[in-house]
Amino acid sequence: MSKDLLECLNGEHKDQVSPLAALKFIFERHISNLDNWAINTKVLIIFHRGMQNIKVNRKIYKDLKAKEHLLHPYCSGKKDSATYNVKMYTEISKAYSNYVKFYVNIANKTDILSKAMTKISDDVRLLKTSEILKHYEYFEALVTQIFAQFQHANFCRQNRLFSNLIFMLFKDLIKVYKVYYVHITEILERFAGLEHEEMQKAFVMY
């Protein structure tokens, strides 16, 4: 079921269902299963994979931003909510849900994350210096968010579903570091022509 949803979200069955129609269905499934940590996590991972797919990610970013208020984490409604595992499910789900929202907000502020890795360098060269400096702030915050997700890495390694979550975050980290590196390289090449205030910010970046 998850594979079929992901394929629809990736636009592989556009003749049958559009990515946005698939996204609507996934949201409905998400809202109706907030008390199921496994389904909740699976749905967030499906959203995350859609965000990483350069074929459809722009549409995904836009629609997830519009429905941000529906990206709820897992919430146990059972009496066993005080057990260690349930507490961990709740903490991890809350952190992951917040991360997805944060990523979506960054992705709607800059188009760089929607690009293929091979095109990032060329696109950054076309940016204004002010945009590069602002992007640095975005991606520094995003890296901080990613590392915050790893605080429960040992627990996640014991669970296949949460291991997939960590893998998705690792993929994000690789791309963000690539973006980060390209921005720093570009601003250093422009360093001699920067204003004093821009030089100070560039030095902080470096």
Side-chain angles (χ1 to χ4, degrees):
M1 183 69 171
S2 296
K3 182 179 178 181
D4 293 337
L5 289 173
L6 184 59
E7 288 177 350
C8 291
L9 197 60
N10 289 346
E12 296 177 29
H13 305 291
K14 288 189 289 186
D15 55 327
Q16 301 174 29
V17 58
S18 70
L20 291 185
L23 194 63
K24 180 181 178 181
F25 175 78
I26 298 170
F27 259 114
E28 291 173 353
R29 189 180 184 197
H30 177 68
I31 295 301
S32 62
N33 289 282
L34 295 178
D35 60 346
N36 186 312
W37 70 268
I39 293 179
N40 183 277
T41 304
K42 286 180 181 178
V43 170
L44 290 174
I45 289 175
I46 289 172
F47 286 148
H48 198 168
R49 287 184 175 175
M51 289 156 52
Q52 291 180 343
N53 189 309
I54 60 173
K55 295 180 180 178
V56 297
N57 57 13
R58 285 187 179 89
K59 292 180 180 179
I60 301 300
Y61 297 152
K62 184 177 180 181
D63 209 57
L64 285 180
K65 176 61 179 175
K67 295 181 174 66
E68 181 182 0
H69 61 290
L70 299 177
L71 287 170
H72 300 300
Y74 159 71
C75 181
S76 175
K78 299 179 181 180
K79 295 180 180 180
D80 64 353
S81 59
T83 66
Y84 174 74
N85 279 1
V86 173
K87 285 183 177 180
M88 292 302 294
Y89 297 154
T90 302
E91 287 185 25
I92 293 169
S93 178
K94 183 178 180 180
Y96 191 38
S97 174
N98 287 336
Y99 171 75
V100 170
K101 293 177 186 177
F102 191 87
Y103 190 106
V104 166
N105 276 283
I106 296 297
N108 276 284
K109 292 177 180 178
T110 170
D111 198 44
I112 294 295
L113 291 174
S114 66
K115 308 287 186 178
M117 294 275 278
T118 55
K119 295 183 178 180
I120 291 175
S121 296
D122 292 336
D123 289 332
V124 170
R125 291 191 189 99
L126 300 176
L127 294 175
K128 298 177 181 178
T129 297
S130 60
E131 291 176 314
I132 293 176
L133 295 172
K134 177 55 76 173
H135 284 183
Y136 159 75
E137 297 176 7
Y138 295 154
F139 298 126
E140 182 183 41
L142 192 54
V143 167
T144 300
Q145 285 285 324
I146 292 174
F147 279 120
Q149 306 302 305
F150 294 147
Q151 62 179 313
H152 299 306
N154 289 334
F155 181 85
C156 288
R157 279 195 288 267
Q158 302 170 29
N159 182 294
R160 183 176 180 181
L161 191 56
F162 286 144
S163 292
N164 289 337
L165 182 160
I166 294 296
F167 175 71
M168 297 297 295
L169 292 167
F170 184 66
K171 288 178 65 177
D172 281 351
L173 189 60
I174 291 174
K175 184 164 189 175
V176 172
Y177 269 141
K178 165 73 174 181
V179 171
Y180 207 70
Y181 170 78
V182 171
H183 278 67
I184 291 175
T185 302
E186 180 62 26
I187 203 69
L188 289 177
E189 290 181 359
R190 303 182 187 186
F191 193 81
L194 299 180
E195 300 291 336
H196 179 69
E197 185 176 350
E198 292 175 334
M199 284 184 175
Q200 290 179 317
K201 292 180 179 179
F203 184 75
V204 171
M205 283 180 65
Y206 183 72

